[in-house]
Amino acid sequence: EVQLVESGGGLVQPGGSLRLSCAASGFTFSSYWMNWVRQAPGKGLEWVANIKQDGSEQHYVDSVEGRFTISRDNAKHSLYLQMNSLRAEDTAIYYCVRDEAPRYFYGGSAYYSSAFDIWGQGTVVTVSS
Amino acid sequence: IQMTQSPSSLSASVGDRVTITCRASQGIRNDLVWYQQKPGKAPKVLIYGASNLQSGVPSRFSGSASGTDFTLTIRSLQPEDFATYYCLQDYDYPLTFGGGTKVEIK
């Protein structure tokens, strides 16, 4: 079964750190871009970060740049999110997400889409004193 | 890139045709994905590349594009379609979601 299972969430004080982990199974982990997406209580979705298959490229939303670091260990089929200098506004459910990257055609050229096809169950991060 | 999604909520009946729109603040080709999220669940991808139906998604869902405006249409609303819908632009970083549209039962 294709599955993503997050862990590492919890309650942390402002300014503190947490490391989220995501264990992948049922597919060739090293073949996919991987992402973290979060959702604050009662709010919409926010893309946080992603990482290329071999870990050589990462991208972040502006609000976490310099504070969060995404990484992966393909040998362990695992994705990580190191979160430092946490703020109250980082409180959210954090989802580990696979990017299926299906190809589509536009104007005679082929492009890859960020179709997030597999999601974990989420891990809750609460930043509060 | 800002994604302005409308309406933020709507009430509809089973069998209705429903249209949800996302407007991008600049051109994004067709780099637009639609997701459905039910309460307490992770989102599910419906449409990618603005108009390509994800495998396993019912054909009553369709997507279209006109310039920077993107539309998700549900042809005949079913009970299981009551949910919140989000668009996502993946043209440029940071990837950005629309604010969401909650589809409720009338």
Side-chain angles (χ1 to χ4, degrees), chain A residues 39-85:
Chain A
Q39 188 166 34
K43 302 297 184 182
L45 301 169
E46 181 179 37
W47 174 83
V48 175
N50 70 359
I51 187 168
K52 196 175 179 179
Q53 290 92 330
D54 62 1
S56 63
E57 189 176 331
Q58 307 91 30
H59 301 274
Y60 300 90
V61 67
D62 292 351
S63 60
V64 310
E65 185 86 57
R67 300 189 299 125
F68 291 11
T69 303
I70 188 172
S71 62
R72 65 192 297 163
D73 185 333
N74 287 340
K76 295 183 177 179
H77 307 103
S78 293
L79 178 72
Y80 306 100
L81 186 68
Q82 177 66 44
M83 303 187 297
N84 299 330
S85 303

mmCIF file of all heavy atoms in Angstrom, chain A residues 39-85:
data_model
loop_
_atom_site.group_PDB
_atom_site.id
_atom_site.type_symbol
_atom_site.label_atom_id
_atom_site.label_comp_id
_atom_site.label_asym_id
_atom_site.label_seq_id
_atom_site.Cartn_x
_atom_site.Cartn_y
_atom_site.Cartn_z
ATOM 1 N N GLN A 39 -1.796 23.365 7.138
ATOM 2 C CA GLN A 39 -3.143 23.932 7.225
ATOM 3 C C GLN A 39 -3.381 24.389 8.658
ATOM 4 O O GLN A 39 -3.476 23.559 9.568
ATOM 5 C CB GLN A 39 -4.192 22.909 6.798
ATOM 6 C CG GLN A 39 -5.587 23.465 6.676
ATOM 7 C CD GLN A 39 -6.526 22.538 5.930
ATOM 8 O OE1 GLN A 39 -6.406 21.311 6.026
ATOM 9 N NE2 GLN A 39 -7.457 23.097 5.175
ATOM 10 N N ALA A 40 -3.455 25.687 8.851
ATOM 11 C CA ALA A 40 -3.741 26.242 10.174
ATOM 12 C C ALA A 40 -5.179 25.913 10.560
ATOM 13 O O ALA A 40 -6.027 25.691 9.684
ATOM 14 C CB ALA A 40 -3.505 27.741 10.167
ATOM 15 N N PRO A 41 -5.478 25.884 11.851
ATOM 16 C CA PRO A 41 -6.833 25.516 12.298
ATOM 17 C C PRO A 41 -7.910 26.356 11.627
ATOM 18 O O PRO A 41 -7.879 27.584 11.701
ATOM 19 C CB PRO A 41 -6.764 25.770 13.804
ATOM 20 C CG PRO A 41 -5.327 25.627 14.159
ATOM 21 C CD PRO A 41 -4.562 26.134 12.984
ATOM 22 N N GLY A 42 -8.831 25.700 10.944
ATOM 23 C CA GLY A 42 -9.939 26.386 10.302
ATOM 24 C C GLY A 42 -9.567 27.216 9.083
ATOM 25 O O GLY A 42 -10.397 27.980 8.582
ATOM 26 N N LYS A 43 -8.351 27.069 8.618
ATOM 27 C CA LYS A 43 -7.875 27.874 7.488
ATOM 28 C C LYS A 43 -7.623 27.017 6.244
ATOM 29 O O LYS A 43 -7.855 25.810 6.242
ATOM 30 C CB LYS A 43 -6.584 28.613 7.889
ATOM 31 C CG LYS A 43 -6.732 29.518 9.099
ATOM 32 C CD LYS A 43 -7.710 30.644 8.859
ATOM 33 C CE LYS A 43 -7.771 31.585 10.050
ATOM 34 N NZ LYS A 43 -8.765 32.676 9.841
ATOM 35 N N GLY A 44 -7.132 27.689 5.205
ATOM 36 C CA GLY A 44 -6.870 27.005 3.954
ATOM 37 C C GLY A 44 -5.501 26.342 3.921
ATOM 38 O O GLY A 44 -4.764 26.315 4.905
ATOM 39 N N LEU A 45 -5.184 25.810 2.749
ATOM 40 C CA LEU A 45 -3.925 25.108 2.565
ATOM 41 C C LEU A 45 -2.802 26.084 2.243
ATOM 42 O O LEU A 45 -3.009 27.089 1.559
ATOM 43 C CB LEU A 45 -4.068 24.111 1.417
ATOM 44 C CG LEU A 45 -5.148 23.045 1.583
ATOM 45 C CD1 LEU A 45 -5.366 22.301 0.266
ATOM 46 C CD2 LEU A 45 -4.768 22.084 2.686
ATOM 47 N N GLU A 46 -1.612 25.773 2.728
ATOM 48 C CA GLU A 46 -0.422 26.571 2.418
ATOM 49 C C GLU A 46 0.728 25.623 2.091
ATOM 50 O O GLU A 46 1.116 24.798 2.913
ATOM 51 C CB GLU A 46 -0.034 27.487 3.570
ATOM 52 C CG GLU A 46 1.187 28.353 3.256
ATOM 53 C CD GLU A 46 1.576 29.288 4.391
ATOM 54 O OE1 GLU A 46 1.465 28.884 5.563
ATOM 55 O OE2 GLU A 46 2.020 30.423 4.093
ATOM 56 N N TRP A 47 1.272 25.768 0.889
ATOM 57 C CA TRP A 47 2.467 25.010 0.529
ATOM 58 C C TRP A 47 3.647 25.565 1.309
ATOM 59 O O TRP A 47 3.810 26.791 1.419
ATOM 60 C CB TRP A 47 2.707 25.129 -0.970
ATOM 61 C CG TRP A 47 3.983 24.512 -1.437
ATOM 62 C CD1 TRP A 47 4.207 23.208 -1.719
ATOM 63 C CD2 TRP A 47 5.221 25.184 -1.661
ATOM 64 N NE1 TRP A 47 5.511 23.011 -2.114
ATOM 65 C CE2 TRP A 47 6.158 24.222 -2.084
ATOM 66 C CE3 TRP A 47 5.647 26.511 -1.538
ATOM 67 C CZ2 TRP A 47 7.476 24.530 -2.390
ATOM 68 C CZ3 TRP A 47 6.954 26.829 -1.849
ATOM 69 C CH2 TRP A 47 7.855 25.845 -2.269
ATOM 70 N N VAL A 48 4.473 24.688 1.862
ATOM 71 C CA VAL A 48 5.578 25.108 2.723
ATOM 72 C C VAL A 48 6.942 24.947 2.035
ATOM 73 O O VAL A 48 7.758 25.875 2.022
ATOM 74 C CB VAL A 48 5.584 24.304 4.045
ATOM 75 C CG1 VAL A 48 6.804 24.640 4.895
ATOM 76 C CG2 VAL A 48 4.304 24.566 4.820
ATOM 77 N N ALA A 49 7.188 23.767 1.495
ATOM 78 C CA ALA A 49 8.510 23.500 0.925
ATOM 79 C C ALA A 49 8.460 22.242 0.079
ATOM 80 O O ALA A 49 7.553 21.414 0.229
ATOM 81 C CB ALA A 49 9.552 23.317 2.030
ATOM 82 N N ASN A 50 9.432 22.125 -0.830
ATOM 83 C CA ASN A 50 9.593 20.870 -1.545
ATOM 84 C C ASN A 50 11.057 20.573 -1.798
ATOM 85 O O ASN A 50 11.935 21.424 -1.591
ATOM 86 C CB ASN A 50 8.756 20.807 -2.832
ATOM 87 C CG ASN A 50 9.250 21.737 -3.925
ATOM 88 O OD1 ASN A 50 10.223 22.475 -3.745
ATOM 89 N ND2 ASN A 50 8.597 21.705 -5.070
ATOM 90 N N ILE A 51 11.331 19.345 -2.211
ATOM 91 C CA ILE A 51 12.702 18.894 -2.425
ATOM 92 C C ILE A 51 12.728 17.925 -3.598
ATOM 93 O O ILE A 51 11.836 17.085 -3.756
ATOM 94 C CB ILE A 51 13.272 18.248 -1.132
ATOM 95 C CG1 ILE A 51 14.755 17.914 -1.274
ATOM 96 C CG2 ILE A 51 12.465 17.018 -0.723
ATOM 97 C CD1 ILE A 51 15.420 17.552 0.058
ATOM 98 N N LYS A 52 13.740 18.064 -4.416
ATOM 99 C CA LYS A 52 13.917 17.246 -5.595
ATOM 100 C C LYS A 52 14.249 15.801 -5.222
ATOM 101 O O LYS A 52 14.638 15.524 -4.083
ATOM 102 C CB LYS A 52 15.036 17.841 -6.457
ATOM 103 C CG LYS A 52 15.088 17.346 -7.883
ATOM 104 C CD LYS A 52 16.169 18.120 -8.645
ATOM 105 C CE LYS A 52 16.251 17.628 -10.078
ATOM 106 N NZ LYS A 52 17.291 18.401 -10.847
ATOM 107 N N GLN A 53 14.135 14.931 -6.202
ATOM 108 C CA GLN A 53 14.330 13.511 -5.959
ATOM 109 C C GLN A 53 15.668 13.193 -5.268
ATOM 110 O O GLN A 53 15.722 12.396 -4.327
ATOM 111 C CB GLN A 53 14.271 12.717 -7.266
ATOM 112 C CG GLN A 53 12.895 12.634 -7.911
ATOM 113 C CD GLN A 53 12.632 13.734 -8.921
ATOM 114 O OE1 GLN A 53 13.152 14.827 -8.787
ATOM 115 N NE2 GLN A 53 11.799 13.443 -9.911
ATOM 116 N N ASP A 54 16.742 13.837 -5.724
ATOM 117 C CA ASP A 54 18.059 13.524 -5.168
ATOM 118 C C ASP A 54 18.493 14.477 -4.060
ATOM 119 O O ASP A 54 19.636 14.439 -3.589
ATOM 120 C CB ASP A 54 19.113 13.510 -6.277
ATOM 121 C CG ASP A 54 19.253 14.855 -6.969
ATOM 122 O OD1 ASP A 54 18.553 15.804 -6.577
ATOM 123 O OD2 ASP A 54 20.075 14.949 -7.901
ATOM 124 N N GLY A 55 17.580 15.367 -3.670
ATOM 125 C CA GLY A 55 17.876 16.305 -2.595
ATOM 126 C C GLY A 55 18.696 17.510 -3.016
ATOM 127 O O GLY A 55 19.068 18.341 -2.171
ATOM 128 N N SER A 56 18.956 17.670 -4.292
ATOM 129 C CA SER A 56 19.848 18.724 -4.762
ATOM 130 C C SER A 56 19.181 20.084 -4.917
ATOM 131 O O SER A 56 19.857 21.083 -5.147
ATOM 132 C CB SER A 56 20.450 18.307 -6.112
ATOM 133 O OG SER A 56 19.428 18.176 -7.082
ATOM 134 N N GLU A 57 17.882 20.115 -4.796
ATOM 135 C CA GLU A 57 17.136 21.364 -4.989
ATOM 136 C C GLU A 57 15.990 21.420 -3.987
ATOM 137 O O GLU A 57 15.267 20.434 -3.797
ATOM 138 C CB GLU A 57 16.600 21.398 -6.424
ATOM 139 C CG GLU A 57 15.989 22.686 -6.855
ATOM 140 C CD GLU A 57 15.581 22.636 -8.332
ATOM 141 O OE1 GLU A 57 16.216 21.891 -9.114
ATOM 142 O OE2 GLU A 57 14.587 23.328 -8.682
ATOM 143 N N GLN A 58 15.855 22.576 -3.326
ATOM 144 C CA GLN A 58 14.767 22.791 -2.376
ATOM 145 C C GLN A 58 14.165 24.181 -2.611
ATOM 146 O O GLN A 58 14.861 25.097 -3.054
ATOM 147 C CB GLN A 58 15.247 22.720 -0.922
ATOM 148 C CG GLN A 58 16.028 21.480 -0.536
ATOM 149 C CD GLN A 58 17.530 21.648 -0.740
ATOM 150 O OE1 GLN A 58 18.048 22.750 -0.627
ATOM 151 N NE2 GLN A 58 18.224 20.549 -1.044
ATOM 152 N N HIS A 59 12.887 24.293 -2.285
ATOM 153 C CA HIS A 59 12.208 25.576 -2.399
ATOM 154 C C HIS A 59 11.325 25.762 -1.176
ATOM 155 O O HIS A 59 10.826 24.771 -0.613
ATOM 156 C CB HIS A 59 11.360 25.638 -3.670
ATOM 157 C CG HIS A 59 12.144 25.453 -4.923
ATOM 158 N ND1 HIS A 59 12.773 26.499 -5.560
ATOM 159 C CD2 HIS A 59 12.426 24.337 -5.642
ATOM 160 C CE1 HIS A 59 13.399 26.032 -6.638
ATOM 161 N NE2 HIS A 59 13.201 24.721 -6.697
ATOM 162 N N TYR A 60 11.131 27.028 -0.794
ATOM 163 C CA TYR A 60 10.374 27.331 0.420
ATOM 164 C C TYR A 60 9.408 28.492 0.190
ATOM 165 O O TYR A 60 9.675 29.383 -0.644
ATOM 166 C CB TYR A 60 11.324 27.733 1.557
ATOM 167 C CG TYR A 60 12.326 26.676 1.944
ATOM 168 C CD1 TYR A 60 13.566 26.610 1.326
ATOM 169 C CD2 TYR A 60 12.023 25.742 2.927
ATOM 170 C CE1 TYR A 60 14.498 25.632 1.677
ATOM 171 C CE2 TYR A 60 12.939 24.762 3.297
ATOM 172 C CZ TYR A 60 14.167 24.716 2.664
ATOM 173 O OH TYR A 60 15.084 23.749 3.012
ATOM 174 N N VAL A 61 8.341 28.518 0.966
ATOM 175 C CA VAL A 61 7.495 29.701 1.007
ATOM 176 C C VAL A 61 8.269 30.776 1.772
ATOM 177 O O VAL A 61 9.081 30.462 2.666
ATOM 178 C CB VAL A 61 6.135 29.380 1.676
ATOM 179 C CG1 VAL A 61 6.277 29.062 3.152
ATOM 180 C CG2 VAL A 61 5.157 30.527 1.454
ATOM 181 N N ASP A 62 8.041 32.013 1.431
ATOM 182 C CA ASP A 62 8.829 33.113 2.009
ATOM 183 C C ASP A 62 8.787 33.133 3.539
ATOM 184 O O ASP A 62 9.800 33.425 4.189
ATOM 185 C CB ASP A 62 8.328 34.450 1.472
ATOM 186 C CG ASP A 62 8.615 34.630 -0.009
ATOM 187 O OD1 ASP A 62 9.346 33.800 -0.584
ATOM 188 O OD2 ASP A 62 8.092 35.604 -0.595
ATOM 189 N N SER A 63 7.643 32.821 4.111
ATOM 190 C CA SER A 63 7.459 32.961 5.560
ATOM 191 C C SER A 63 8.292 31.975 6.373
ATOM 192 O O SER A 63 8.453 32.164 7.583
ATOM 193 C CB SER A 63 5.977 32.807 5.914
ATOM 194 O OG SER A 63 5.505 31.537 5.523
ATOM 195 N N VAL A 64 8.824 30.937 5.758
ATOM 196 C CA VAL A 64 9.641 29.969 6.497
ATOM 197 C C VAL A 64 11.093 29.953 6.033
ATOM 198 O O VAL A 64 11.940 29.284 6.655
ATOM 199 C CB VAL A 64 9.058 28.533 6.411
ATOM 200 C CG1 VAL A 64 7.573 28.530 6.759
ATOM 201 C CG2 VAL A 64 9.293 27.907 5.048
ATOM 202 N N GLU A 65 11.383 30.672 4.958
ATOM 203 C CA GLU A 65 12.750 30.708 4.425
ATOM 204 C C GLU A 65 13.732 31.138 5.519
ATOM 205 O O GLU A 65 13.509 32.129 6.226
ATOM 206 C CB GLU A 65 12.801 31.686 3.252
ATOM 207 C CG GLU A 65 14.120 31.754 2.526
ATOM 208 C CD GLU A 65 14.241 30.687 1.438
ATOM 209 O OE1 GLU A 65 13.375 30.666 0.560
ATOM 210 O OE2 GLU A 65 15.215 29.920 1.466
ATOM 211 N N GLY A 66 14.802 30.365 5.695
ATOM 212 C CA GLY A 66 15.796 30.676 6.715
ATOM 213 C C GLY A 66 15.492 30.090 8.081
ATOM 214 O O GLY A 66 16.368 30.064 8.961
ATOM 215 N N ARG A 67 14.284 29.632 8.298
ATOM 216 C CA ARG A 67 13.899 29.032 9.586
ATOM 217 C C ARG A 67 13.668 27.520 9.449
ATOM 218 O O ARG A 67 13.939 26.761 10.371
ATOM 219 C CB ARG A 67 12.626 29.679 10.123
ATOM 220 C CG ARG A 67 12.737 31.168 10.375
ATOM 221 C CD ARG A 67 11.504 31.682 11.111
ATOM 222 N NE ARG A 67 10.270 31.496 10.360
ATOM 223 C CZ ARG A 67 9.205 30.853 10.815
ATOM 224 N NH1 ARG A 67 9.212 30.304 12.024
ATOM 225 N NH2 ARG A 67 8.105 30.746 10.074
ATOM 226 N N PHE A 68 13.123 27.097 8.322
ATOM 227 C CA PHE A 68 12.812 25.683 8.082
ATOM 228 C C PHE A 68 13.793 25.119 7.064
ATOM 229 O O PHE A 68 14.224 25.811 6.142
ATOM 230 C CB PHE A 68 11.400 25.514 7.533
ATOM 231 C CG PHE A 68 10.274 25.818 8.497
ATOM 232 C CD1 PHE A 68 10.493 26.431 9.718
ATOM 233 C CD2 PHE A 68 8.965 25.480 8.155
ATOM 234 C CE1 PHE A 68 9.459 26.704 10.590
ATOM 235 C CE2 PHE A 68 7.918 25.741 9.023
ATOM 236 C CZ PHE A 68 8.166 26.360 10.235
ATOM 237 N N THR A 69 14.090 23.833 7.239
ATOM 238 C CA THR A 69 14.944 23.128 6.284
ATOM 239 C C THR A 69 14.325 21.785 5.942
ATOM 240 O O THR A 69 14.041 20.972 6.835
ATOM 241 C CB THR A 69 16.353 22.893 6.852
ATOM 242 O OG1 THR A 69 16.934 24.147 7.211
ATOM 243 C CG2 THR A 69 17.234 22.188 5.820
ATOM 244 N N ILE A 70 14.092 21.577 4.653
ATOM 245 C CA ILE A 70 13.562 20.293 4.188
ATOM 246 C C ILE A 70 14.735 19.421 3.760
ATOM 247 O O ILE A 70 15.718 19.914 3.185
ATOM 248 C CB ILE A 70 12.562 20.499 3.028
ATOM 249 C CG1 ILE A 70 11.857 19.189 2.678
ATOM 250 C CG2 ILE A 70 13.223 21.126 1.814
ATOM 251 C CD1 ILE A 70 10.707 19.365 1.656
ATOM 252 N N SER A 71 14.645 18.149 4.055
ATOM 253 C CA SER A 71 15.699 17.215 3.658
ATOM 254 C C SER A 71 15.084 15.835 3.464
ATOM 255 O O SER A 71 13.928 15.602 3.819
ATOM 256 C CB SER A 71 16.826 17.157 4.691
ATOM 257 O OG SER A 71 16.333 16.696 5.936
ATOM 258 N N ARG A 72 15.870 14.939 2.906
ATOM 259 C CA ARG A 72 15.375 13.583 2.683
ATOM 260 C C ARG A 72 16.518 12.588 2.775
ATOM 261 O O ARG A 72 17.678 12.936 2.570
ATOM 262 C CB ARG A 72 14.697 13.475 1.322
ATOM 263 C CG ARG A 72 15.601 13.685 0.127
ATOM 264 C CD ARG A 72 14.795 13.852 -1.164
ATOM 265 N NE ARG A 72 14.026 12.653 -1.508
ATOM 266 C CZ ARG A 72 13.008 12.654 -2.373
ATOM 267 N NH1 ARG A 72 12.632 13.789 -2.973
ATOM 268 N NH2 ARG A 72 12.354 11.534 -2.648
ATOM 269 N N ASP A 73 16.167 11.364 3.089
ATOM 270 C CA ASP A 73 17.120 10.256 3.115
ATOM 271 C C ASP A 73 16.492 9.145 2.285
ATOM 272 O O ASP A 73 15.600 8.434 2.766
ATOM 273 C CB ASP A 73 17.380 9.794 4.543
ATOM 274 C CG ASP A 73 18.468 8.719 4.644
ATOM 275 O OD1 ASP A 73 18.658 7.976 3.661
ATOM 276 O OD2 ASP A 73 19.090 8.606 5.700
ATOM 277 N N ASN A 74 16.920 9.031 1.047
ATOM 278 C CA ASN A 74 16.303 8.057 0.155
ATOM 279 C C ASN A 74 16.565 6.619 0.601
ATOM 280 O O ASN A 74 15.740 5.730 0.356
ATOM 281 C CB ASN A 74 16.787 8.271 -1.271
ATOM 282 C CG ASN A 74 16.174 9.514 -1.905
ATOM 283 O OD1 ASN A 74 15.135 10.017 -1.454
ATOM 284 N ND2 ASN A 74 16.812 10.034 -2.945
ATOM 285 N N ALA A 75 17.682 6.393 1.259
ATOM 286 C CA ALA A 75 17.983 5.044 1.731
ATOM 287 C C ALA A 75 17.007 4.617 2.827
ATOM 288 O O ALA A 75 16.703 3.429 2.977
ATOM 289 C CB ALA A 75 19.416 4.976 2.251
ATOM 290 N N LYS A 76 16.517 5.589 3.574
ATOM 291 C CA LYS A 76 15.551 5.312 4.642
ATOM 292 C C LYS A 76 14.121 5.616 4.222
ATOM 293 O O LYS A 76 13.201 5.514 5.041
ATOM 294 C CB LYS A 76 15.911 6.123 5.889
ATOM 295 C CG LYS A 76 17.236 5.735 6.526
ATOM 296 C CD LYS A 76 17.501 6.515 7.800
ATOM 297 C CE LYS A 76 18.794 6.077 8.461
ATOM 298 N NZ LYS A 76 19.086 6.844 9.716
ATOM 299 N N HIS A 77 13.918 6.005 2.954
ATOM 300 C CA HIS A 77 12.576 6.340 2.453
ATOM 301 C C HIS A 77 11.895 7.365 3.351
ATOM 302 O O HIS A 77 10.726 7.212 3.727
ATOM 303 C CB HIS A 77 11.709 5.082 2.351
ATOM 304 C CG HIS A 77 12.345 3.983 1.573
ATOM 305 N ND1 HIS A 77 12.926 2.895 2.182
ATOM 306 C CD2 HIS A 77 12.491 3.804 0.241
ATOM 307 C CE1 HIS A 77 13.413 2.096 1.244
ATOM 308 N NE2 HIS A 77 13.172 2.621 0.064
ATOM 309 N N SER A 78 12.635 8.384 3.707
ATOM 310 C CA SER A 78 12.132 9.349 4.676
ATOM 311 C C SER A 78 12.339 10.789 4.236
ATOM 312 O O SER A 78 13.340 11.126 3.611
ATOM 313 C CB SER A 78 12.803 9.136 6.044
ATOM 314 O OG SER A 78 12.414 7.903 6.614
ATOM 315 N N LEU A 79 11.370 11.616 4.620
ATOM 316 C CA LEU A 79 11.386 13.056 4.384
ATOM 317 C C LEU A 79 11.383 13.745 5.740
ATOM 318 O O LEU A 79 10.778 13.242 6.690
ATOM 319 C CB LEU A 79 10.142 13.461 3.586
ATOM 320 C CG LEU A 79 9.956 14.939 3.279
ATOM 321 C CD1 LEU A 79 10.972 15.389 2.226
ATOM 322 C CD2 LEU A 79 8.530 15.196 2.786
ATOM 323 N N TYR A 80 12.051 14.887 5.823
ATOM 324 C CA TYR A 80 12.150 15.596 7.090
ATOM 325 C C TYR A 80 11.848 17.084 6.904
ATOM 326 O O TYR A 80 11.988 17.646 5.811
ATOM 327 C CB TYR A 80 13.559 15.451 7.677
ATOM 328 C CG TYR A 80 14.010 14.024 7.812
ATOM 329 C CD1 TYR A 80 14.871 13.452 6.874
ATOM 330 C CD2 TYR A 80 13.568 13.233 8.875
ATOM 331 C CE1 TYR A 80 15.281 12.131 6.984
ATOM 332 C CE2 TYR A 80 13.975 11.897 8.991
ATOM 333 C CZ TYR A 80 14.827 11.358 8.036
ATOM 334 O OH TYR A 80 15.226 10.047 8.146
ATOM 335 N N LEU A 81 11.444 17.716 8.007
ATOM 336 C CA LEU A 81 11.305 19.168 8.035
ATOM 337 C C LEU A 81 11.833 19.641 9.384
ATOM 338 O O LEU A 81 11.211 19.389 10.418
ATOM 339 C CB LEU A 81 9.857 19.613 7.833
ATOM 340 C CG LEU A 81 9.668 21.124 7.707
ATOM 341 C CD1 LEU A 81 10.299 21.627 6.395
ATOM 342 C CD2 LEU A 81 8.192 21.502 7.737
ATOM 343 N N GLN A 82 12.988 20.274 9.356
ATOM 344 C CA GLN A 82 13.550 20.864 10.561
ATOM 345 C C GLN A 82 12.995 22.270 10.690
ATOM 346 O O GLN A 82 13.172 23.101 9.796
ATOM 347 C CB GLN A 82 15.079 20.902 10.483
ATOM 348 C CG GLN A 82 15.748 21.566 11.666
ATOM 349 C CD GLN A 82 15.553 20.798 12.966
ATOM 350 O OE1 GLN A 82 15.681 19.575 12.990
ATOM 351 N NE2 GLN A 82 15.256 21.510 14.045
ATOM 352 N N MET A 83 12.321 22.528 11.808
ATOM 353 C CA MET A 83 11.660 23.812 12.007
ATOM 354 C C MET A 83 12.291 24.512 13.206
ATOM 355 O O MET A 83 12.213 24.006 14.332
ATOM 356 C CB MET A 83 10.163 23.598 12.237
ATOM 357 C CG MET A 83 9.490 22.836 11.114
ATOM 358 S SD MET A 83 7.693 22.758 11.288
ATOM 359 C CE MET A 83 7.551 21.831 12.807
ATOM 360 N N ASN A 84 12.926 25.648 12.956
ATOM 361 C CA ASN A 84 13.565 26.444 14.013
ATOM 362 C C ASN A 84 12.864 27.786 14.159
ATOM 363 O O ASN A 84 12.086 28.201 13.292
ATOM 364 C CB ASN A 84 15.043 26.671 13.678
ATOM 365 C CG ASN A 84 15.831 25.378 13.583
ATOM 366 O OD1 ASN A 84 15.518 24.392 14.261
ATOM 367 N ND2 ASN A 84 16.853 25.367 12.753
ATOM 368 N N SER A 85 13.143 28.466 15.265
ATOM 369 C CA SER A 85 12.570 29.799 15.513
ATOM 370 C C SER A 85 11.071 29.811 15.276
ATOM 371 O O SER A 85 10.538 30.679 14.565
ATOM 372 C CB SER A 85 13.261 30.844 14.626
ATOM 373 O OG SER A 85 14.646 30.846 14.849
#
